[in-house]
Amino acid sequence: MQRYLEVPVDLFTMGGNLSNVKVSDLLAAKEDFKTQLLLAVTMAVFVKIFFNFSVVHLRRIVDSKPWKEQFLRLTKRTYKSIGVDYGSDEIWYEAALVQFPLVLHHLIGGLLCVPAVFGITGISEETAYALARHGALFETAFELQDIGTRVYQYFYDKDFDKKNPPMVVRMLIMHHSCGLCTVIPMNMYFGSSVLFHEAVFLLQGA
């Protein structure tokens, strides 16, 4: 209990030399800042590659389906109901395709929390908690790569304003700030808390 109360004033002074992180620390999602940071950045690169790969291949599949236009109409209706308008059909289509890997991403993050939340015979508590910490970091990884993508768009994409309408930016600021500000500290100081794991599990399924 004592270590939960001794939160450092500046977490970013705890990074140390990232090259000292062991593979076993990464697999266990060890509850220290440098391991958590390295995992989050590594996962962010993986998530970015996964999303780009998925959108390219999903486009080929959806292009050949008779329900493509209906899929696009439903996406537009859903987004416009919350005040989002991307303008051109191409940007709408890309935004619609991203929903497929996004759902899978949330599913993976949620499933990683299942052993800790429900308990599974044959999986130790230590392993279950490590998986749950990975599940939480998987969400942070999405947010890191998404911010990186939008920063790149700001400087190099002439369609930045169309791809990032004001309502989307406001929603992402609220959404991303939660994960970026809480997951690593929570993994460090409450990484073995089933209540935290349950919260991650529920949010991934929301």
Side-chain angles (χ1 to χ4, degrees):
M1 178 62 71
Q2 183 66 22
R3 75 186 186 96
Y4 295 143
L5 302 177
E6 296 176 351
V7 180
V9 175
D10 184 5
L11 285 173
F12 294 96
T13 63
M14 301 178 60
N17 187 350
L18 294 180
S19 64
N20 292 334
V21 178
K22 300 176 182 177
V23 173
S24 58
D25 295 339
L26 296 173
L27 292 175
K30 187 178 177 182
E31 297 157 277
D32 65 64
F33 182 69
K34 59 184 179 182
T35 302
Q36 293 289 311
L37 180 62
L38 185 55
L39 275 172
V41 173
T42 303
M43 286 184 182
V45 173
F46 169 79
V47 170
K48 178 61 178 175
I49 294 171
F50 166 67
F51 269 67
N52 286 355
F53 177 86
S54 298
V55 169
V56 169
H57 288 273
L58 282 167
R59 182 184 292 269
R60 296 173 185 170
I61 295 171
V62 176
D63 280 347
S64 65
K65 300 301 180 182
W67 42 260
K68 173 185 174 181
E69 293 304 320
Q70 182 182 19
F71 169 59
L72 190 56
R73 282 198 306 273
L74 290 173
T75 300
K76 287 182 179 181
R77 187 172 71 184
T78 301
Y79 275 69
K80 286 183 177 180
S81 69
I82 57 174
V84 175
D85 190 349
Y86 285 109
S88 73
D89 281 349
E90 175 56 30
I91 297 176
W92 271 114
Y93 190 26
E94 186 174 333
L97 291 172
V98 166
Q99 301 311 305
F100 289 103
L102 188 61
V103 169
L104 182 57
H105 171 269
H106 275 243
L107 177 63
I108 293 171
L111 288 175
L112 285 169
C113 297
V114 167
V117 175
F118 297 102
I120 295 180
T121 303
I123 298 181
S124 67
E125 272 192 355
E126 182 180 355
T127 300
Y129 295 162
L131 289 172
R133 291 193 291 270
H134 279 291
L137 282 171
F138 204 47
E139 179 62 25
T140 299
F142 168 77
E143 288 146 7
L144 281 174
Q145 67 82 31
D146 191 58
I147 289 173
T149 297
R150 294 177 194 279
V151 169
Y152 176 86
Q153 289 173 350
Y154 178 80
F155 287 105
Y156 300 108
D157 193 333
K158 60 182 177 61
D159 292 324
F160 172 80
D161 291 334
K162 293 179 181 178
K163 293 180 178 179
N164 298 274
M167 179 57 73
V168 169
V169 173
R170 286 195 289 269
M171 289 191 299
L172 291 179
I173 288 174
M174 290 186 291
H175 178 276
H176 291 0
S177 61
C178 292
L180 291 173
C181 293
T182 61
V183 168
I184 289 180
M186 289 297 290
N187 267 359
M188 289 171 59
Y189 294 97
F190 297 93
S192 298
S193 168
V194 176
L195 293 177
F196 169 52
H197 304 155
E198 183 177 350
V200 174
F201 173 77
L202 292 173
L203 287 170
Q204 292 286 45

